[in-house]
């Protein structure tokens, strides 16, 4: 080292020769070679962070990379594989470098040494994300479960959405409508059918009170015969709809030339929004309403049912039984009676 310093102080000479020990000469040449040797790698990825968010169509991926370029020659780093179904949503501009797809991978290219950072956005229509040739995966993080694959890369399993079932508030059971059909013969044999149309979302108790003098023949819940009298457990048969049907019978007594009929329907423990009643009575009589809670209404068609058909309706029935009072007498309209008187001589 002292010899070299001395030579530099004297200055260069044209035909100067110096003899140095071999040991010193080797040290000088090794230092020169070390100063001009290429770096072990041209460029390297020093940091990588990935995050993925599941969407309806697949996965949105955001990738952050840090790259160190060491050599002044062109360097290529491939960080992500662009498999079928993967689309580049956003590529940044990087000074002194190029970021572009190359041979099915997303690659970084530069010939300017320095430190580079950039972010990439991709849309992956699937659940698989594969690393590029030069990528680091140790810092990858996903908003879900990332499962490493034996052949390289990761299979991304999105977080399952937790479906919270909102419990529907209990439905208030109701009876929007009841339809009654009463048929009587001239001998007084009467049959009464009443169908209650219900709204409910679970089993509910429902009870009825039969009118005085009427015998309960059968009870149906959603079309199925039930035993146990007029205390039933109503249930929905389809969605929130249900039915209860009552069949009753009674002997009204023989119809006379004129008389009065007091008719009553069963009383339900639930309020009934509307009651429609059709009454078929012997056609030889004419009928006149005297009173009751059931008001006259247009009678629905009753094909095949004998007798004279009368219609009645009542709204908002609660804690009571619908009633109607009728007066009847022989129908004389269109009928003529004649008498013959014999006149004897003067």
């Amino acid at each position: 080292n002292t010899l070299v310093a001395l030579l530099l102080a004297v200055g260069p000479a044209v035909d100067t020769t110096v003899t140095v020990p071999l040991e010193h000469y080797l040290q000088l040449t090794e230092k020169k070679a070390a100063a001009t040797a290429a770096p072990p790698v041209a460029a390297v990825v020093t940091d990588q962070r990935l995050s993925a968010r599941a969407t309806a169509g697949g996965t949105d991926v955001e990738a952050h990379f840090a790259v160190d370029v060491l050599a002044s020659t062109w360097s290529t780093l491939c960080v992500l594989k662009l498999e079928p179904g993967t689309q580049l949503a956003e590529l940044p501009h990087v000074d002194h470098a190029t970021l572009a797809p190359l041979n099915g991978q997303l690659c970084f290219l530069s010939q300017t040494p320095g430190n580079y950072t950039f972010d990439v956005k991709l849309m992956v229509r699937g659940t698989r994300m594969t690393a590029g040739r030069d990528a680091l995966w140790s810092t990858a993080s996903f908003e879900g479960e990332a499962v490493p694959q034996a052949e390289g890369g990761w299979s991304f399993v999105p977080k399952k959405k937790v479906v919270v079932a909102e419990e529907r508030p209990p439905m208030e059971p109701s009876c929007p409508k009841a339809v009654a059909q009463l048929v009587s013969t001239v001998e007084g044999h009467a049959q009464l059918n009443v169908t209650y149309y219900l709204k409910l979302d679970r089993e509910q108790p429902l009870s009825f009170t039969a009118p005085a003098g009427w015998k309960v023949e059968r009870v149906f819940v959603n079309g199925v015969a039930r035993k146990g009298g007029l205390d039933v457990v109503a249930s929905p048969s389809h969605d929130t709809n249900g039915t209860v049907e009552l069949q009753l019978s009674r002997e009204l007594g023989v119809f006379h030339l004129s008389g009065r009929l007091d008719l009553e329907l069963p009383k339900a423990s639930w309020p009934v929004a509307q009651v429609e009643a059709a009454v078929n009575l012997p056609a030889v009589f004419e009928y006149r309403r005297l009173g009751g809670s059931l008001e006259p209404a247009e009678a629905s068609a009753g094909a095949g049912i004998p007798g004279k058909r009368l219609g009645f309706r009542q709204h908002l029935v609660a804690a009571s039984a619908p009633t109607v009072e009728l007066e009847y007498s022989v129908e004389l309209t269109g009928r003529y009676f004649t008498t013959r008187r014999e006149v004897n001589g003067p």
Side-chain angles (χ1 to χ4, degrees), residues 246-331:
L246 309 181
Q247 295 183 355
L248 304 93
S249 62
R250 180 186 174 184
E251 295 295 329
L252 296 176
V254 177
F255 282 76
H256 301 286
L257 294 179
S258 62
R260 176 171 171 163
L261 288 175
D262 294 332
L263 303 177
E264 182 179 342
L265 302 182
K267 180 175 70 173
S269 61
W270 294 4
V272 181
Q274 179 176 297
V275 175
E276 295 181 359
V279 179
N280 285 68
L281 298 173
V284 295
F285 300 100
E286 59 178 353
Y287 303 89
R288 185 169 65 90
R289 177 181 175 276
L290 298 178
S293 60
L294 289 165
E295 297 289 341
E298 183 178 354
S300 58
I305 301 177
K308 183 172 291 186
R309 191 172 183 84
L310 309 174
F312 301 95
R313 180 178 294 128
Q314 182 178 346
H315 297 278
L316 302 177
V317 182
S320 62
T323 60
V324 62
E325 301 169 6
L326 299 176
E327 181 183 59
Y328 70 91
S329 59
V330 174
E331 174 67 69

Side-chain angles (χ1 to χ4, degrees), residues 42-320:
V44 65
V45 177
T46 60
D47 186 31
Q48 173 178 310
R49 294 189 300 272
L50 299 178
S51 63
R53 181 174 59 87
T55 63
T59 308
D60 287 349
V61 178
E62 294 185 6
H64 173 81
F65 296 95
V67 173
D68 283 353
V69 177
L70 306 176
S72 299
T73 59
W74 277 105
S75 305
T76 302
L77 292 176
C78 296
V79 292
L80 287 173
K81 279 190 177 181
L82 301 178
E83 296 182 333
T86 300
Q87 298 178 3
L88 291 170
E90 184 177 320
L91 279 181
H93 172 76
V94 182
D95 292 337
H96 309 297
T98 299
L99 195 64
L102 183 64
N103 297 326
Q105 299 193 62
L106 179 62
C107 298
F108 172 90
L109 300 92
S110 177
Q111 63 174 353
T112 305
N115 300 323
Y116 299 85
T117 59
F118 54 90
D119 297 313
V120 178
K121 293 184 179 180
L122 306 96
M123 293 184 294
V124 180
R125 298 301 172 251
T127 59
R128 180 174 177 79
M129 191 70 193
T130 305
R133 180 189 63 204
D134 305 303
L136 298 175
W137 285 99
S138 59
T139 57
S141 63
F142 292 85
E143 295 178 1
E145 183 181 358
V147 182
Q149 302 297 304
E151 66 274 15
W154 297 72
S155 178
F156 172 61
V157 181
K159 287 182 180 179
K160 293 183 179 179
K161 293 183 178 179
V162 179
V163 180
V164 180
E166 295 184 3
E167 185 176 354
R168 183 172 57 184
M171 175 183 289
E172 184 70 22
S174 63
C175 180
K177 185 178 181 180
V179 177
Q181 173 71 62
L182 187 148
V183 179
S184 177
T185 64
V186 71
E187 293 82 8
H189 303 302
Q191 184 74 33
L192 173 62
N193 293 346
V194 187
T195 302
Y196 297 86
Y197 296 91
L198 312 177
K199 284 286 186 182
L200 67 169
D201 59 357
R202 53 178 58 86
E203 291 187 345
Q204 297 284 356
L206 175 59
S207 61
F208 303 90
T209 302
W214 289 86
K215 176 185 177 182
V216 179
E217 299 290 347
R218 285 186 293 183
V219 177
F220 297 87
V221 176
N222 297 329
V224 179
R226 299 292 175 90
K227 296 181 180 180
L230 295 178
D231 294 326
V232 302
V233 177
S235 60
S237 62
H238 178 67
D239 194 16
T240 57
N241 298 319
T243 60
V244 174
E245 181 182 353
L246 309 181
Q247 295 183 355
L248 304 93
S249 62
R250 180 186 174 184
E251 295 295 329
L252 296 176
V254 177
F255 282 76
H256 301 286
L257 294 179
S258 62
R260 176 171 171 163
L261 288 175
D262 294 332
L263 303 177
E264 182 179 342
L265 302 182
K267 180 175 70 173
S269 61
W270 294 4
V272 181
Q274 179 176 297
V275 175
E276 295 181 359
V279 179
N280 285 68
L281 298 173
V284 295
F285 300 100
E286 59 178 353
Y287 303 89
R288 185 169 65 90
R289 177 181 175 276
L290 298 178
S293 60
L294 289 165
E295 297 289 341
E298 183 178 354
S300 58
I305 301 177
K308 183 172 291 186
R309 191 172 183 84
L310 309 174
F312 301 95
R313 180 178 294 128
Q314 182 178 346
H315 297 278
L316 302 177
V317 182
S320 62

